[in-house]
Amino acid sequence: MQDFKLLTRQLLETYLGSDTLSKVEIQDFLASNASVIGTGKQEFFKNIEHFLNSFKFDVEKRKNIHFEFKDLEIEENIVDDQCVFVYGSVKIYGLYDKEVTIIHLDSRFTIIYGVRDGKWKVLHIHHSIPDKEQLEDEEFPITLGKQVQQARHEVEALSAGYSYICLINLETGDVELIKGNNIPGLNGRYTQMDHNILLEQVNRLIAKPFRQSSVEFYDSKTIAKRLEGKNSLFHTCERTDGTWILSMIVPQKYDENGRVVSVLLANRDFTEEKKRELEQEEALRQEKIKAEKANEAKSIFLFNMSHDIRTPMNAIVGYSQLMKKELTNPKLVHYQEMIEQSSKLLLSIINNLLDMARVESGKMELDENYEVIGNISQLVCSAFAAEASRKNIELNIIVNVEHKHIIVDSTKMQEILSNLISNAIKYTSAGGKVTIDTKELPYDKEGYVLIQTKVTDTGIGMSEEFLPSLFELFTRERNTTLSKIPGTGLGMAIVKNFVDLMNGSIEVESELGKGSTFTITIPHKIANKDYTNRNIESSNEFDNNFVGKRILLAEDNELNAEITTTILSEMGFEVKVVEDGILCVNEIQHQPANTYDLILMDIQMPNMDGYKATHCIRRLLQPEKANIPIIAMSANAFEEDKKKAFDVKMNDYITKPIDFQKMEEALKHILSK
């Protein structure tokens, strides 16, 4: 007779080494209708990042995993000369790249061998992975396959794990009780199944949320259809007494056309497993809640810090710009430039931290508007022109596109290019070269244009080993102390997230000592002609003569009020300052209409904030007063803050520290209407 212990060892080796059950090697072992079912849990170790967030094994990843087994124990039970029942236990190890253990399974198995076409074939495999404390003195869970109709004693030998087993004839509806208590009303070994009795039993035994699904599962009229292409059907439900039951239906017999004509239905208590499953789900839910709360707390902290930091930053930057106009001593001019340079760096760090907080919180959204391709590159390069000039770095801009007018989130696009160009200049030695090359690529999506921008430098470059981690948070190849170049390690992570948000791609080529090339490719919607012409016309013809124009400035911070008043006065405006929203509303109410041409409204003020003040003004009865232009001027720099401003019908939004050139452009735009 066949050596079933050797055959089982060979089967396990082939089974574990195959990606699918359709492999020829596996098919040599299996009968034509063999079923393979596994249940239980798997233990994952944190050695490989691929598996950190996974709770089930993905067979697609088997190409990286080599399986081995140890401590194989096998027992066999010869039913007759046509059927053998083999069972045992084994420890299975999954080795990543044949070195690192990432999966460990303490598995038990049940195998039924039968003679088919003169050869011993596998009729059925069932394997389970129990908790270690369950390994002793527990019967094997049983899978009742479609081949197990050879003999009644074979079924009984396999039924130890189930409290109830019956045979259902799908053609007649007859039910044969094999194990367990008979259902009241079904007397005798073979009895016609009564659907009303089934409904009564389900309503009496099964908890209400599971009754409908249970009726559908046990419905003998639909079982054959539901089993098409499947080896088994499973259903779990809670009973009215609080326990859980696992039900399984497997084919038992087929007709000459391959249609299932009888099935085995088996039930077993599932309470302990379900309890552990629910406890695990609850633990995971609690961990998720904790993580979400921690992330929310971090975001709130960063948002609050943003406002508190930006307010004094506005004073530092503003007074620095005012001081610059009065200085003649070269040494003092140099000191002022260093203050301004450090302020910009500090503001850049704050912006990066806040951008990452936005990305991690999932609140980052696109705010698209009209733009001309090349303008953003030109604007960013202008901001870094002085630094490039100091280092004698050649800064080149190349634009070669057919469709120039696009719809894009210009703020995020500006930040992408700012990070790339800033790094290129920062890491390029004196006398080097930085090139920003923008061109249009072929694209078949109607109404869109595909734009590729390459930022190339002749700087210090990066090692091949560092490149895979370039876009990770807080990652730098050389820290500030070693390189003497300041930075947070956030810029590239932000660039990658923004590019992904725009459905684009980013690639990098670099070599130590030979420079780097960053290539970003992003699709943009083409702006239609009417929209393009409207924006071109709106940018034309305003003489910037603000003399005689009057502004009401609502600002509670004295330093910021002084700086803003000074700058606006130099532009030609007459400025009146009020300290809170209530005073702002009162001033508009009590002064004649058209006294002020525009309001600059701080947001966070005592007594009444800028949003409420704007809301009150917009509700005034006199249209001339209610419709006065209002520009928000706030240290809150997030999209939802801007949205709230526009929701109360503010006309524009300026963030602190104030870029007075941008403020002048905003004033020009508003007052030209």
Side-chain angles (χ1 to χ4, degrees):
M1 203 171 189
Q2 179 76 39
D3 184 344
F4 291 101
K5 291 187 178 181
L6 176 61
L7 183 62
T8 301
R9 177 179 287 274
Q10 293 171 345
L11 169 64
L12 287 174
E13 289 175 346
T14 306
Y15 177 49
L16 294 174
S18 298
D19 293 338
T20 69
L21 297 178
S22 62
K23 287 291 184 71
V24 174
E25 297 85 351
I26 284 287
Q27 292 301 312
D28 287 342
F29 286 93
L30 305 182
S32 58
N33 290 323
S35 59
V36 181
I37 299 174
T39 61
K41 71 173 186 176
Q42 300 172 122
E43 181 179 353
F44 289 85
F45 295 84
K46 295 185 179 179
N47 303 69
I48 301 299
E49 185 178 353
H50 302 66
F51 298 93
L52 288 179
N53 298 317
S54 181
F55 292 94
K56 61 183 179 180
F57 178 60
D58 182 355
V59 295
E60 290 298 322
K61 295 176 182 174
R62 281 194 177 185
K63 59 187 177 183
N64 298 323
I65 300 172
H66 170 70
F67 283 93
E68 295 179 358
F69 63 87
K70 299 179 182 178
D71 301 335
L72 176 63
E73 296 181 5
I74 303 175
E75 298 291 336
E76 62 183 55
N77 182 359
I78 300 175
V79 179
D80 53 37
D81 59 358
Q82 297 290 310
C83 184
V84 174
F85 170 44
V86 173
Y87 59 92
S89 62
V90 65
K91 293 183 177 180
I92 301 173
Y93 297 89
L95 307 179
Y96 187 80
D97 289 340
K98 298 186 178 183
E99 293 181 356
V100 182
T101 301
I102 57 170
I103 302 176
H104 171 214
L105 312 175
D106 286 321
S107 179
R108 291 179 294 172
F109 58 88
T110 303
I111 304 174
I112 303 170
Y113 292 102
V115 176
R116 294 291 184 272
D117 300 325
K119 293 184 179 181
W120 284 96
K121 292 277 191 174
V122 174
L123 306 182
H124 215 71
I125 297 176
H126 178 261
H127 65 87
S128 65
I129 301 92
D131 291 340
K132 291 182 172 60
E133 61 267 22
Q134 293 179 302
L135 287 174
E136 300 296 331
D137 302 323
E138 183 185 299
E139 297 289 349
F140 288 99
I142 304 304
T143 299
L144 302 172
K146 54 198 173 188
Q147 296 80 21
V148 189
Q149 72 264 28
Q150 297 283 328
R152 289 295 311 281
H153 60 270
E154 176 183 343
V155 175
E156 291 166 357
L158 296 175
S159 66
Y162 291 84
S163 59
Y164 176 87
I165 302 173
C166 69
L167 175 68
I168 304 173
N169 188 317
L170 300 181
E171 294 180 317
T172 65
D174 288 340
V175 178
E176 177 188 357
L177 179 65
I178 295 175
K179 180 183 179 182
N181 297 324
N182 210 338
I183 298 175
L186 298 181
N187 299 315
R189 196 159 184 76
Y190 289 90
T191 307
Q192 185 74 20
M193 176 174 279
D194 190 316
H195 190 68
N196 291 327
I197 294 177
L198 173 62
L199 286 176
E200 188 277 327
Q201 292 297 313
V202 167
N203 288 331
R204 184 173 64 86
L205 299 173
I206 306 301
K208 189 173 181 179
F210 301 93
R211 288 174 186 171
Q212 182 60 37
S213 61
S214 297
V215 169
E216 293 172 357
F217 179 78
Y218 294 122
D219 186 356
S220 61
K221 295 179 181 179
T222 64
I223 287 177
K225 182 68 175 177
R226 285 183 282 136
L227 275 171
E228 289 181 1
K230 298 178 181 178
N231 289 325
S232 57
L233 300 172
F234 286 93
H235 176 66
T236 60
C237 62
E238 186 180 12
R239 291 186 281 204
T240 51
D241 62 1
T243 60
W244 286 78
I245 185 172
L246 169 66
S247 300
M248 177 174 63
I249 296 175
V250 292
Q252 196 267 349
K253 187 177 180 180
Y254 294 83
D255 63 16
E256 58 185 12
N257 297 317
R259 182 178 174 81
V260 179
V261 293
S262 66
V263 296
L264 288 163
L265 166 64
N267 293 338
R268 71 178 177 87
D269 188 275
F270 190 61
T271 305
E272 289 302 314
E273 288 127 299
K274 189 63 179 180
K275 181 180 178 182
R276 287 192 295 272
E277 179 185 323
L278 292 174
E279 287 174 349
Q280 185 182 39
E281 288 178 358
E282 178 60 20
L284 290 172
R285 191 181 73 84
Q286 291 297 332
E287 288 299 319
K288 182 181 179 182
I289 291 173
K290 288 181 183 178
E292 288 174 348
K293 286 184 176 179
N295 194 51
E296 183 181 1
K298 180 184 70 175
S299 297
I300 291 172
F301 169 77
L302 288 173
F303 298 162
N304 290 337
M305 286 300 294
S306 164
H307 180 274
D308 294 344
I309 292 174
R310 285 175 180 275
T311 298
M313 279 292 297
N314 188 62
I316 294 171
V317 172
Y319 279 119
S320 175
Q321 291 180 359
L322 292 176
M323 182 172 58
K324 185 177 185 178
K325 298 178 180 180
E326 306 296 330
L327 296 177
T328 55
N329 187 316
K331 182 178 288 188
L332 296 179
V333 170
H334 172 70
Y335 293 161
Q336 185 277 331
E337 289 175 349
M338 294 302 99
I339 292 173
E340 189 171 342
Q341 184 175 328
S342 298
S343 299
K344 289 180 179 178
L345 175 60
L346 179 57
L347 186 59
S348 174
I349 293 171
I350 294 169
N351 288 337
N352 283 344
L353 286 169
L354 294 172
D355 283 338
M356 284 315 304
R358 304 290 295 164
V359 170
E360 290 181 351
S361 68
K363 295 181 179 179
M364 186 66 73
E365 297 178 354
L366 292 177
D367 180 21
E368 296 182 319
N369 44 56
Y370 168 81
E371 190 55 79
V372 178
I373 292 177
N375 282 6
I376 296 177
S377 300
Q378 189 67 53
L379 179 65
V380 174
C381 286
S382 298
F384 294 105
E387 184 179 351
S389 178
R390 281 196 299 270
K391 295 179 68 175
N392 193 28
I393 292 174
E394 182 182 340
L395 196 57
N396 296 318
I397 301 176
I398 302 171
V399 179
N400 184 18
V401 297
E402 178 183 351
H403 301 90
K404 295 182 178 180
H405 306 285
I406 61 172
I407 304 299
V408 63
D409 188 327
S410 54
T411 301
K412 291 181 179 60
M413 196 68 212
Q414 182 176 332
E415 187 149 3
I416 290 171
L417 292 177
S418 291
N419 274 289
L420 295 179
I421 295 171
S422 171
N423 283 345
I425 294 173
K426 190 160 50 176
Y427 292 105
T428 298
S429 301
K433 183 178 180 181
V434 174
T435 301
I436 301 91
D437 186 359
T438 301
K439 65 180 180 181
E440 181 176 334
L441 300 180
Y443 200 48
D444 56 5
K445 186 174 181 180
E446 187 176 354
Y448 284 78
V449 61
L450 189 63
I451 301 299
Q452 180 189 84
T453 300
K454 288 189 175 185
V455 179
T456 304
D457 64 66
T458 58
I460 61 177
M462 293 170 282
S463 65
E464 185 177 350
E465 295 76 18
F466 175 71
L467 290 180
S469 61
L470 174 62
F471 297 109
E472 295 176 5
L473 287 174
F474 307 110
T475 303
R476 301 185 69 201
E477 186 165 23
R478 305 169 184 83
N479 65 27
T480 303
T481 304
L482 294 176
S483 68
K484 305 301 182 184
I485 298 174
T488 61
L490 290 173
M492 288 298 100
I494 291 168
V495 167
K496 180 67 167 63
N497 276 283
F498 281 4
V499 170
D500 289 345
L501 190 63
M502 295 179 176
N503 297 315
S505 64
I506 182 167
E507 299 174 357
V508 58
E509 301 173 41
S510 188
E511 188 176 344
L512 280 175
K514 296 186 178 180
S516 304
T517 297
F518 287 84
T519 303
I520 56 171
T521 307
I522 301 175
H524 301 291
K525 188 175 182 180
I526 300 172
N528 62 53
K529 291 183 179 179
D530 291 341
Y531 188 77
T532 302
N533 293 335
R534 187 166 63 250
N535 279 275
I536 293 173
E537 289 168 5
S538 67
S539 64
N540 291 335
E541 301 215 357
F542 185 73
D543 59 7
N544 270 28
N545 183 6
F546 300 126
V547 176
K549 300 290 184 182
R550 302 196 70 204
I551 285 182
L552 179 61
L553 173 62
E555 171 64 76
D556 65 305
N557 185 287
E558 292 183 10
L559 296 180
N560 289 336
E562 180 181 343
I563 294 166
T564 307
T565 300
T566 303
I567 297 294
L568 291 173
S569 298
E570 291 180 353
M571 293 181 188
F573 288 103
E574 297 178 23
V575 183
K576 179 178 177 61
V577 179
V578 291
E579 291 78 24
D580 62 41
I582 292 177
L583 295 176
C584 180
V585 174
N586 288 339
E587 181 70 14
I588 296 298
Q589 280 182 314
H590 296 131
Q591 292 293 340
N594 301 318
T595 298
Y596 298 101
D597 298 281
L598 182 140
I599 300 173
L600 280 176
M601 183 81 75
D602 188 24
I603 297 299
Q604 289 195 15
M605 295 183 291
N607 302 320
M608 179 185 286
D609 65 32
Y611 298 131
K612 292 179 181 177
T614 300
H615 180 71
C616 292
I617 292 170
R618 294 302 185 217
R619 292 168 64 89
L620 294 176
L621 296 178
Q622 290 181 265
E624 297 86 353
K625 293 184 178 183
N627 297 325
I628 185 173
I630 302 176
I631 298 179
M633 189 175 63
S634 175
N636 296 325
F638 302 109
E639 291 300 325
E640 59 260 40
D641 298 311
K642 295 180 182 179
K643 185 178 183 303
K644 285 173 66 176
F646 293 129
D647 285 344
V648 296
K649 296 183 172 52
M650 288 186 173
N651 301 84
D652 207 339
Y653 195 97
I654 299 172
T655 58
K656 299 175 182 177
I658 296 171
D659 183 325
F660 288 102
Q661 182 176 348
K662 290 183 178 179
M663 174 185 274
E664 185 173 357
E665 292 172 359
L667 293 170
K668 168 188 171 182
H669 177 72
I670 295 295
L671 294 175
S672 65
K673 294 181 178 180

